[in-house]
Amino acid sequence: MRTDSSPGNLPAREHLPAGSAGTPVLDVVIPVYNEEKDLQPCVMRLHEHLRRTFPYEFRITIADNASTDTTPRVAARLDSEIPEVRSFRLEQKGRGRALRTVWSASDAPILAYMDVDLSTDLNALLPLVAPLISGHSDLAIGSRLARSSRVVRGAKREFISRSYNLILRGSLQARFSDAQCGFKAIRRDVAQVLLPLVEDTGWFFDTEMLVLAERAGLRIHEVPVDWVDDPDSTVHIVKTATDDLKGVWRVGRALATGSLPLDRLARPFGDDPRDRELTDVPKGLARQLVGFCVVGALSTLFYLLLYTGFRTFSGSQVANALALLVSAVANTAANRRLTFGVRGRGGAVRHQAQGLVVFGIGLILTSGSLAALNAATTDPGHSTELAVLIAANLAATVLRFLLFRAWVFPDRRDDTPSPVAAGHNPASPTYSTAARSPYDADRFRTGRFGTGQFGSDQFRTDQFRAGEAADLTRGDATMQLQAVRPYDDEPNPRDAR
């Protein structure tokens, strides 16, 4: 499967209108676990800030994942007293599970979350979501590691945070600067296609989401933040670090094997209507160049080792031909899978045959170089032969890449619509999620809630049983995308309170 050649299943980003009364543009989720002391001050402060500074309708959603103290009572009381506050109860722990559940059912076009301790200065909230509202970006994250950020925290947490981000850069080639800051936002149309691909339900959830989004070519906006460490944080550093490293290994393996359908997240080129009609726009050139160079370097080393081995029992021309033949087959296979993203066995024989033609051109170049060397001197040294062969291979490499890209693995668009794109209407920039769950967008929007865990209707909190809505799986069978209008004029019954 060519992940860089799909015409894309996400529509072009549009600037979001202010929306009708009662329809929130922003839904800020606060995942909590046993936060009975901090929850009310956090919600009150956030609500006051949004009411005073945010120019759109908003909602604050408290996602209580299996708290065992009085957090559900506090959340239910805030729900009943403040019209813009909702509360939901999940019976399983996991920050990622809570975010996936609430985000998947929310009707707001911009989804965000922040930690309950409000370590991040709230003045960064509007700059965080503004690029998503304007249509410029797909995701936005707060960064504590930007040059202009101001951070107050201990040396241990500083070391752990920077080490973790270095690991992401080295292992997953992540280019975003801060994966763990609890201050992020995403467009709903992106979330509904991206979230089913994210497996983690704990602290690694947002890191996995960012890595997949970046690999799919989505635009991630970073906002420098002022951040003060919470000394009373209940996060278990060792366990979290271990789970994160396991997640890095799992995601890295999935990306290396190409098992993730990241082409579902492709955007059309540009947001100008004229740009959307462009065809034959080169895709993935920079990534292909890097992959080709890495494969080429390894192939050259492999070739030199083979040549040295064959040279012990044959002449230079025979050793060169045998080494080139073996390394060419390996090079074509590696470039097919890693550089140009071609999956499966379809066309493999044809690709190898075309690769052998390219090999023949390389053989002519290198053999001609050796012939010229032998004509210039009767007994060239081994180091001289290697130097000439390296120079000839460098010249052949440039030609090989051009032939691979234009002839062997051309960028052909797949005309077969994918299941995700099947119901797409270009006039509708967002999607709704039809999840098989009692927790759906209609109840979320209209405020029709069930009875909470404490047996009273005044505690309007939705409960989730293990294995149901609290753990939306990755499979497409549990999540279907249907084109809908991003807003509606239906009044919100909660506005009457």
Side-chain angles (χ1 to χ4, degrees):
M1 179 184 296
R2 293 289 303 278
T3 59
D4 62 338
S5 62
S6 170
N9 299 317
L10 289 173
R13 291 180 294 266
E14 301 286 352
H15 191 297
L16 297 173
S20 58
T23 303
V25 170
L26 173 65
D27 191 350
V28 182
V29 180
I30 304 176
V32 293
Y33 173 72
N34 289 349
E35 298 287 354
E36 58 185 0
K37 295 181 180 179
D38 295 336
L39 179 56
Q40 180 168 335
C42 163
V43 172
M44 298 298 291
R45 179 182 164 195
L46 175 60
H47 178 266
E48 173 59 22
H49 177 84
L50 289 171
R51 187 188 61 80
R52 180 169 46 86
T53 64
F54 194 69
Y56 295 89
E57 295 285 336
F58 65 89
R59 177 194 296 129
I60 301 172
T61 302
I62 304 168
D64 172 28
N65 38 299
S67 292
T68 56
D69 59 3
T70 61
T71 297
R73 292 181 178 273
V74 177
R77 184 172 66 252
L78 292 169
D79 184 324
S80 63
E81 294 176 354
I82 305 176
E84 292 83 8
V85 174
R86 302 289 188 271
S87 66
F88 290 93
R89 166 77 175 180
L90 291 87
E91 296 300 337
Q92 288 181 292
K93 291 179 61 177
R95 183 182 66 172
R97 179 178 288 108
L99 291 176
R100 178 191 287 128
T101 303
V102 177
W103 279 358
S104 296
S106 177
D107 59 344
I110 304 298
L111 309 168
Y113 94 90
M114 63 180 60
D115 293 334
V116 69
D117 55 17
L118 295 185
S119 295
T120 306
D121 183 14
L122 291 179
N123 287 326
L125 182 55
L126 184 55
L128 182 79
V129 301
L132 309 186
I133 295 175
S134 69
H136 175 270
S137 301
D138 299 293
L139 299 92
I141 64 174
S143 175
R144 300 164 295 182
L145 303 180
R147 290 184 180 274
S148 57
S149 299
R150 296 182 297 179
V151 177
V152 178
R153 62 176 167 182
K156 181 174 72 172
R157 284 183 175 271
E158 180 76 10
F159 174 77
I160 292 174
S161 180
R162 292 188 178 274
S163 299
Y164 179 65
N165 283 282
L166 285 176
I167 291 174
L168 293 180
R169 288 176 177 270
S171 59
L172 300 179
Q173 289 79 49
R175 290 176 291 179
F176 47 85
S177 64
D178 193 351
Q180 293 179 309
C181 182
F183 196 71
K184 296 181 176 70
I186 185 173
R187 288 176 64 100
R188 180 167 66 104
D189 58 343
V190 176
Q192 291 180 337
V193 184
L194 176 58
L195 294 185
L197 305 180
V198 180
E199 286 189 17
D200 193 80
T201 59
W203 291 97
F204 188 70
F205 170 85
D206 41 357
T207 298
E208 183 174 355
M209 178 181 69
L210 289 174
V211 170
L212 299 186
E214 186 177 73
R215 286 298 188 94
L218 298 180
R219 186 173 294 159
I220 301 175
H221 177 73
E222 295 198 15
V223 179
V225 298
D226 296 343
W227 193 84
V228 179
D229 187 18
D230 178 16
D232 298 325
S233 175
T234 58
V235 178
H236 299 288
I237 296 179
V238 175
K239 183 180 184 303
T240 301
T242 302
D243 292 341
D244 287 348
L245 292 177
K246 292 179 181 178
V248 169
W249 168 257
R250 174 176 53 79
V251 172
R253 183 177 57 185
L255 292 173
T257 58
S259 61
L260 294 171
L262 298 181
D263 54 338
R264 296 182 179 184
L265 299 169
R267 286 281 193 189
F269 179 79
D271 289 333
D272 189 293
R274 295 168 297 179
D275 293 337
R276 297 172 199 168
E277 302 299 325
L278 291 178
T279 58
D280 298 327
V281 177
K283 290 179 172 60
L285 178 59
R287 181 186 61 79
Q288 290 177 0
L289 277 173
V290 173
F292 184 81
C293 289
V294 172
V295 172
L298 296 176
S299 297
T300 300
L301 179 60
F302 184 48
Y303 161 80
L304 293 175
L305 292 175
L306 290 174
Y307 177 81
T308 302
F310 293 144
R311 191 67 174 86
T312 59
F313 59 85
S314 63
S316 61
Q317 292 288 3
V318 175
N320 174 62
L322 290 175
L324 268 179
L325 178 61
V326 176
S327 61
V329 173
N331 181 276
T332 300
N335 277 306
R336 181 178 187 269
R337 180 67 176 268
L338 302 178
T339 303
F340 297 96
V342 181
R343 313 297 182 194
R345 298 180 180 179
V349 176
R350 175 175 57 84
H351 292 154
Q352 283 292 349
Q354 292 172 314
L356 289 177
V357 174
V358 178
F359 151 75
I361 297 175
L363 178 62
I364 293 174
L365 286 174
T366 53
S367 297
S369 300
L370 282 176
L373 177 63
N374 291 326
T377 177
T378 57
D379 188 19
H382 183 66
S383 59
T384 304
E385 285 184 350
L386 291 181
V388 170
L389 288 173
I390 290 174
N393 270 287
L394 288 177
T397 296
V398 176
L399 182 60
R400 185 182 303 117
F401 176 76
L402 296 176
L403 289 174
F404 272 179
R405 182 173 172 84
W407 180 49
V408 183
F409 308 110
D411 188 9
R412 297 190 180 95
R413 292 183 178 273
D414 186 3
D415 296 330
T416 304
S418 67
V420 178
H424 172 54
N425 179 3
S428 299
T430 58
Y431 299 89
S432 69
T433 304
R436 296 171 184 170
S437 163
Y439 178 55
D440 54 53
D442 290 336
R443 295 172 65 198
F444 196 103
R445 183 180 66 253
T446 59
R448 294 191 292 270
F449 301 95
T451 302
Q453 101 176 61
F454 296 97
S456 172
D457 286 337
Q458 79 178 56
F459 301 131
R460 287 182 296 275
T461 59
D462 276 11
Q463 297 188 44
F464 300 93
R465 294 191 302 273
E468 292 188 354
D471 191 12
L472 297 180
T473 60
R474 301 173 59 209
D476 292 336
T478 61
M479 183 170 291
Q480 300 175 353
L481 302 182
Q482 300 173 349
V484 297
R485 294 175 299 159
Y487 307 102
D488 55 50
D489 297 327
E490 179 182 336
N492 191 338
R494 291 186 66 100
D495 294 338
R497 292 196 304 196

